Amino acid sequence: MAKLLKLLTMEAITTLRLKTPEDHHQLLPCRLNPFNLMHLLTLRTSLKIIRPRRIHAYATNTKRVSCCVLLFLYLGGCMRFHSVRSMETTKTIAAGSRGGGGETWTSGIVLKSYMACQYSDDQGGSKKDMFNFLDLLDSPTQLLMINLSLIFIVTRITHQALRPLRQSMIIAHIVAGIVIGPSLLTSNHGIARTLFPPSARYILKTISAFGCMLHLFIFGVKIDVGTLRKIIGGKAIFVGLSGFFISLALGTCAFNFLKTFGGIDKSDNMGIIRLLILNSMSFFVTTSSYLSDIKITNTEVGVLACSSSAVIDAFAHCGLAFMQKLDYDGIPLPPTARWAWFLLLVIYYSLLFLILRPMIIFIVGLTPEGQAMKRSHFMAVLSIVLLAWFLGECLGQRLSTFLFGLSLPDGPPLGSILVQKLEVFTSNFLLPVYFTMSGVRANLQSLKGNTSAWSLELIVLSCRFGKFLGTLGAAVFANVPIHEGVPLALIMCCQGVMEVIVLSNWKDDMIVDSKLFNVGLVNVVIFAAVILPLIQQIYDPSIGYEAYYRRSVQGCNAAGDLQVIVCIHKEENVPTVINLLDTMKSSRGGSVSIIALQLVQLTGKAMPILAPLHQARASSLNLTRAHQIANAFQYFERHGEGYVKAQHFVSVTPYSSMHNDICLIAHDKRASLIVIPFHKQWAVDGMVGASSLPIRELNQRVLHKAPCSVAVLVDREPLGSNRSILKGARMYHVVMLFIGGADDHEALAIARRMSNHSNVGLTVIWLKSEASDANHSDIANDHHACIDPESEVIRDFQFGMKGNDRVTVDEMIVSDGIGTTKAVISAQHADLFIIGRHHEPNCPATLGIAMWSDYPELGMVGDMLTSTTEFQFSVLVVQQQPKFDFTHVGSRKVGKEDPFGLFYRGD
């Protein structure tokens, strides 16, 4: 063995006098195997031996890591092997150099293998000039920093340029890689050799491959298999398989037609078949990523798209696991070798799921519930993952880390700590390098004048068209509305993360050549760049819960049941919300049906959850706090004297799409009011204790999209800390500022309902202008004069409150915002202020107030009541959902979201 290693070392430091090929820039990482060692042995007598130097060797047609670990240990990591596409003819001798003599490389074809040797003289050499840019590139570290800087600069510029077109970051990364690559920037061989020599490409490829592995593993851990299995029903299976088989059928027909009439090369048949199968698939990782980008993950379309792609994904990973090139240089391996390789796969996956998986579960189980994982435990888990990745790379199972992560429990503590410690670095640093380097490998100039490339494009378009028709037809047959079926079919036609990974792996293993890789990567960019903005343009999730009439407290029977959606973010929201709800129920005012919706940000999981609490318990989500919140509402229901009914739901989704869950529940339950907590919380001393920008953005989206009235509850010390309403210990004073408008009418309806509670004292302050007061005097003198709506509402309220000594109505004449502030100060002893959100800008009561508005979502008056620290009362800002403005054209309704009346939205 020592003699063999010595012999191999001498062969590795030999200069190959070969001609540089035109595609030397396509050097790719690969692995060394015994076949390449035999190649080196056969070259011993024909190569000229030179003095030992530090060598970086690059070879081709290498398949897997095998017994060569000893060789790498012997060489001390000096040798680095790369792969490029195989060539049929041997080329003549040539060599090249870069910099001031510090690094030299030679490359060419030997025994159908493209091989390049690159070495640098670290034992002295010429003196480096610090003012010479090329000398600065001799250091691998400096070259790596320059390459990374170039990648991130071009990527960010590309993303900013594509942002108006609503393009995702993945597309921006690939396009940036195409710009950097031989298609544009490095089309000049001198620039390519200077900025991206083979050694630099090797380092970048290694870094990006590591990031890709971590990304797939983290994404697999974030998937809740139990939840995914529940949403996969007959409809998802039918839609997914229909799209796959119809796409495959149309693509096969196009392939056979072009093959018959000579439109494609016979040498590309196997690669085209694999490309055809890849274009018929829909990967769950890709679909879920795009749905998250366009913020429709938790919609009906998003759930069906995820479940349908998961069905195809289950077959895809099984097929990709065995879709390997079981030959060497075109010579099929003997049956014994095939069976041995299959046996190794069985052993590997048995090791993965029967030994390594229980080890990680045991380590995760050492972390107490609700606590963070220890650093030592996290490093142990990461070491096991790296071991699984190494073994998978040896067998060509580069997607096995995703399956390994999929088998592990999702959510905290493992999912949350992976997201916390690795996802930012992986998704924002390593993964962009991977997609950019994939774009760098594409050479679009090679497609010019290539007629076979247009034939390949026709096959890909046939697959995509079949995918669209199959998915849309199956969705319509399964009673999916057409306005949901079209975006569903479009999202299933998108390609992204997994397709780029599979294409790159196939390119490394020479399963597909450069032409097939270029066509496949270009189609990934084109389809995603066109489809995603189109979906955002034609599909609005609010279509499912838009209402053509108001559902409000004002429209409910005063003595009937009131349906209220209560949104809870934290346990601290519960006391104030329960006190508020308690004021709305009474023997005279009717009952209250509460839907307590607990909102949890999606972290450490890939699949959103919207389900009743008893169904969500089956998932791996930690619901300890959810149970505590549910217990508080159950206690409220038991002491509600039969006038309170409570249901409990859990929504686990990103804040960016959480409003869809809130509005959908409100629509399905026919709620009249949604209560959402303000994004700020106050401490005991009256200062701001906590603030959340995502919650504020969520509140703004709910106010914009809700199908019913919305009330923003600003929780301050008196109402939140004192629970005497429920116990009936003292009177609670509520003040309602009435200025006018639909929102104030709704706020007055809520105040009317509160007035029926025996422990609530209500004061309505009617802020009138001098003009309205004069009009009111005219009405008193002339009964035939027109009564303004505000006076009519107040008169109706006063008539209904006759005999209730706990209700008073005060009229105050104000000319500007100063008068409104004085009215508030006169009643600052109140526990709760109720105010409508929207008022007319020229209203006298709001003049001057809007000049310093900090929270537009609260309205002008609500912002004034909340911004100052002098007031210690809580505030309830009410908005009544306006009627949606549609123009009726025939049987369709045309609105702003659908200007051409393409989709029927129903009544």
Side-chain angles (χ1 to χ4, degrees):
M1 177 61 70
K3 293 182 178 179
L4 176 61
L5 293 176
K6 182 178 180 180
L7 177 61
L8 293 175
T9 304
M10 296 300 297
E11 303 300 340
I13 62 176
T14 301
T15 300
L16 304 179
R17 300 182 177 277
L18 302 169
K19 183 178 179 181
T20 305
E22 296 179 356
D23 56 351
H24 67 276
H25 53 270
Q26 296 188 10
L27 290 170
L28 306 170
C30 69
R31 297 145 195 86
L32 187 66
N33 68 1
F35 295 104
N36 299 103
L37 299 183
M38 296 304 297
H39 277 187
L40 292 174
L41 290 173
T42 57
L43 292 174
R44 181 176 184 272
T45 58
S46 61
L47 299 176
K48 179 181 178 181
I49 306 298
I50 64 173
R51 60 191 178 93
R53 294 179 179 180
R54 186 178 179 181
I55 301 297
H56 303 284
Y58 306 89
T60 64
N61 284 340
T62 54
K63 298 292 189 295
R64 309 287 172 255
V65 175
S66 57
C67 62
C68 301
V69 176
L70 293 176
L71 175 63
F72 283 108
L73 294 176
Y74 181 80
L75 298 178
C78 293
M79 296 186 62
R80 301 179 181 182
F81 291 84
H82 284 248
S83 169
V84 296
R85 63 181 179 86
S86 179
M87 304 180 71
E88 297 298 331
T89 59
T90 302
K91 297 192 176 183
T92 57
I93 301 170
S97 64
R98 178 179 60 82
E103 191 173 273
T104 306
W105 59 273
T106 57
S107 59
I109 304 300
V110 178
L111 298 180
K112 297 184 179 181
S113 295
Y114 179 77
M115 185 172 291
C117 261
Q118 177 178 313
Y119 57 91
S120 58
D121 190 358
D122 294 337
Q123 301 177 0
S126 60
K127 185 177 180 179
K128 295 184 179 180
D129 185 3
M130 64 179 295
F131 298 102
N132 190 343
F133 176 73
L134 296 179
D135 285 345
L136 296 178
L137 298 181
D138 286 341
S139 171
T141 303
Q142 295 173 352
L143 185 60
L144 177 63
M145 295 300 103
I146 291 176
N147 290 334
L148 291 177
S149 300
L150 178 63
I151 287 174
F152 287 116
I153 290 173
V154 177
T155 298
R156 290 300 170 181
I157 293 176
T158 306
H159 178 62
Q160 292 297 326
L162 297 178
R163 175 174 289 183
L165 302 178
R166 301 180 182 179
Q167 299 301 318
S168 65
M169 283 297 296
I170 296 175
I171 302 303
H173 295 153
I174 299 176
V175 173
I178 294 175
V179 171
I180 298 174
S183 301
L184 291 174
L185 183 60
T186 56
S187 57
N188 183 280
H189 295 326
I191 298 177
R193 286 193 297 267
T194 301
L195 293 179
F196 293 98
S199 59
R201 292 175 180 271
Y202 173 81
I203 296 174
L204 290 173
K205 188 66 178 177
T206 303
I207 293 175
S208 60
F210 179 72
C212 178
M213 179 276 299
L214 285 179
H215 175 76
L216 292 179
F217 175 73
I218 294 173
F219 200 95
V221 172
K222 290 164 61 177
I223 297 176
D224 186 356
V225 180
T227 303
L228 189 62
R229 187 169 55 247
K230 290 179 180 179
I231 67 174
I232 296 179
K235 181 187 296 185
I237 296 174
F238 177 63
V239 171
L241 295 182
S242 297
F244 174 76
F245 285 113
I246 294 178
S247 174
L248 189 63
L250 286 184
T252 304
C253 292
F255 172 62
N256 292 330
F257 175 81
L258 294 174
K259 185 171 64 174
T260 302
F261 291 94
I264 56 177
D265 298 333
K266 294 183 179 179
S267 60
D268 296 334
N269 285 351
M270 293 304 299
I272 293 175
I273 292 175
R274 287 179 168 89
L275 190 64
L276 190 151
I277 296 175
L278 180 64
N279 279 273
S280 301
M281 295 177 179
S282 294
F283 291 96
F284 176 81
V285 176
T286 300
T287 304
S288 179
S289 300
Y290 282 145
L291 291 173
S292 179
D293 289 341
I294 59 180
K295 300 178 179 60
I296 59 172
T297 305
N298 54 343
T299 62
E300 294 291 335
V301 172
V303 173
L304 185 55
C306 285
S307 56
S308 300
S309 59
V311 172
I312 306 175
D313 217 349
F315 296 97
H317 280 90
C318 295
L320 292 175
F322 296 95
M323 197 180 294
Q324 301 294 332
K325 189 178 180 182
L326 297 179
D327 56 25
Y328 183 75
D329 281 349
I331 302 175
L333 294 178
T336 304
R338 293 175 180 265
W339 282 107
W341 179 76
F342 178 77
L343 180 61
L344 287 176
L345 286 186
V346 174
I347 295 174
Y348 168 67
Y349 282 106
S350 300
L351 175 68
L352 205 65
F353 298 121
L354 300 181
I355 298 179
L356 299 183
R357 178 180 179 271
M359 290 174 61
I360 291 184
I361 293 178
F362 173 76
I363 295 174
V364 173
L366 297 178
T367 303
E369 184 176 353
Q371 297 185 12
M373 181 182 291
K374 293 183 179 179
R375 183 179 301 177
S376 58
H377 295 169
F378 173 73
M379 295 305 301
V381 171
L382 189 59
S383 301
I384 295 175
V385 174
L386 293 177
L387 175 62
W389 179 43
F390 168 74
L391 296 176
E393 285 285 309
C394 294
L395 297 173
Q397 304 300 302
R398 301 177 188 175
L399 303 180
S400 59
T401 53
F402 172 72
L403 300 177
F404 187 40
L406 194 65
S407 65
L408 296 174
D410 67 311
L414 181 59
S416 58
I417 195 171
L418 285 173
V419 172
Q420 177 184 354
K421 293 183 177 295
L422 294 179
E423 188 173 41
V424 174
F425 178 72
T426 301
S427 301
N428 297 332
F429 181 77
L430 297 180
L431 199 63
V433 176
Y434 184 89
F435 291 118
T436 304
M437 292 305 299
S438 298
V440 169
R441 299 174 66 180
N443 186 2
L444 303 187
Q445 293 184 5
S446 63
L447 300 179
K448 293 181 179 180
N450 194 332
T451 56
S452 61
W454 290 104
S455 301
L456 294 175
E457 183 65 25
L458 181 60
I459 294 175
V460 173
L461 290 177
S462 300
C463 289
R464 297 289 94 189
F465 183 67
K467 189 77 172 179
F468 179 82
L469 287 183
T471 305
L472 179 60
V476 173
F477 185 81
N479 297 324
V480 176
I482 187 66
H483 68 267
E484 295 182 355
V486 172
L488 172 64
L490 289 174
I491 196 67
M492 296 294 286
C493 291
C494 279
Q495 294 180 319
V497 177
M498 288 298 293
E499 286 78 6
V500 174
I501 294 174
V502 172
L503 282 173
S504 299
N505 291 341
W506 284 355
K507 184 72 163 53
D508 292 343
D509 295 337
M510 288 170 291
I511 293 177
V512 297
D513 59 10
S514 298
K515 178 177 59 180
L516 293 174
F517 176 80
N518 293 337
V519 172
L521 194 66
V522 168
N523 279 277
V524 169
V525 174
I526 292 176
F527 278 99
V530 174
I531 289 177
L532 292 181
L534 183 61
I535 294 176
Q536 297 179 68
Q537 185 65 30
I538 68 175
Y539 178 65
D540 184 5
S542 62
I543 293 174
Y545 47 77
E546 278 179 352
Y548 304 110
Y549 61 91
R550 292 183 177 92
R551 289 199 306 274
S552 60
V553 178
Q554 189 179 3
C556 293
N557 187 354
D561 183 63
L562 178 64
Q563 295 278 351
V564 181
I565 304 290
V566 179
C567 300
I568 305 295
H569 292 283
K570 303 176 182 179
E571 295 176 349
E572 290 80 1
N573 303 139
V574 175
T576 303
V577 169
I578 289 182
N579 285 337
L580 176 66
L581 295 173
D582 188 57
T583 62
M584 297 183 183
K585 61 90 180 171
S586 69
S587 57
R588 296 177 54 190
S591 60
V592 178
S593 294
I594 305 169
I595 296 95
L597 180 60
Q598 302 182 39
L599 305 176
V600 182
Q601 184 182 11
L602 184 66
T603 57
K605 297 172 69 67
M607 286 295 298
I609 296 176
L610 176 61
L613 181 59
H614 66 277
Q615 295 182 10
R617 291 172 182 170
S619 66
S620 58
L621 184 68
N622 185 6
L623 297 176
T624 303
R625 293 185 177 181
H627 294 325
Q628 295 175 355
I629 295 174
N631 292 336
F633 280 95
Q634 290 173 359
Y635 176 83
F636 177 47
E637 182 179 7
R638 289 194 300 268
H639 292 77
E641 301 176 351
Y643 297 102
V644 178
K645 299 177 183 178
Q647 303 179 54
H648 309 280
F649 284 80
V650 176
S651 172
V652 184
T653 189
Y655 278 125
S656 59
S657 57
M658 194 174 286
H659 64 282
N660 288 325
D661 285 352
I662 298 173
C663 297
L664 186 61
I665 288 290
H667 180 269
D668 291 343
K669 299 298 182 180
R670 303 187 65 82
S672 300
L673 180 65
I674 299 175
V675 179
I676 53 178
F678 192 53
H679 69 280
K680 285 189 174 182
Q681 287 185 334
W682 277 259
V684 178
D685 58 357
M687 304 302 293
V688 176
S691 179
S692 175
L693 180 59
I695 294 179
R696 181 184 183 184
E697 295 174 348
L698 169 65
N699 292 346
Q700 292 172 348
R701 284 189 288 266
V702 172
L703 289 168
H704 179 64
K705 295 286 188 178
C708 61
S709 296
V710 180
V712 182
L713 179 59
V714 182
D715 180 13
R716 293 217 174 169
E717 191 269 336
L719 187 60
S721 62
N722 197 322
R723 304 190 182 188
S724 58
I725 295 181
L726 186 59
K727 298 178 181 179
R730 61 180 286 268
M731 186 72 67
Y732 246 83
H733 192 193
V734 179
V735 175
M736 192 270 155
L737 291 178
F738 186 86
I739 299 175
D743 291 348
D744 275 2
H745 294 179
E746 182 72 359
L748 186 62
I750 295 176
R752 181 197 293 264
R753 196 172 185 95
M754 292 180 175
S755 65
N756 294 320
H757 197 284
S758 58
N759 292 332
V760 173
L762 174 62
T763 299
V764 177
I765 301 178
W766 183 14
L767 301 179
K768 304 166 56 178
S769 63
E770 295 179 357
S772 62
D773 184 64
N775 185 34
H776 184 70
S777 300
D778 295 339
I779 293 173
N781 298 327
D782 185 3
H783 296 286
H784 298 285
C786 295
I787 302 177
D788 64 285
E790 318 307 334
S791 301
E792 185 178 1
V793 170
I794 290 294
R795 288 177 58 182
D796 180 70
F797 175 79
Q798 290 175 328
F799 180 80
M801 293 295 105
K802 283 184 178 180
N804 191 341
D805 55 358
R806 292 178 286 101
V807 179
T808 59
V809 178
D810 297 334
E811 299 181 9
M812 298 184 64
I813 300 176
V814 296
S815 58
D816 52 21
I818 298 177
T820 303
T821 304
K822 293 180 179 179
V824 173
I825 295 176
S826 65
Q828 62 178 340
H829 61 282
D831 299 307
L832 175 67
F833 258 74
I834 304 177
I835 185 66
R837 176 178 179 240
H838 177 73
H839 301 95
E840 295 297 330
N842 57 353
C843 177
T846 60
L847 290 178
I849 295 180
M851 296 176 61
W852 53 78
S853 179
D854 294 328
Y855 310 112
E857 65 270 22
L858 298 180
M860 293 177 286
V861 180
D863 175 79
M864 180 197 68
L865 298 177
T866 304
S867 300
T868 179
T869 58
E870 297 180 359
F871 301 145
Q872 297 297 321
F873 47 76
S874 296
V875 181
L876 187 70
V877 181
V878 181
Q879 173 191 273
Q880 186 181 32
Q881 177 69 18
K883 187 180 296 183
F884 201 83
D885 185 18
F886 277 103
T887 302
H888 294 269
V889 180
S891 60
R892 297 182 179 180
K893 297 173 182 175
V894 183
K896 296 180 180 179
E897 288 82 357
D898 185 18
F900 302 102
L902 297 178
F903 304 109
Y904 177 64
R905 307 190 181 196
D907 293 323

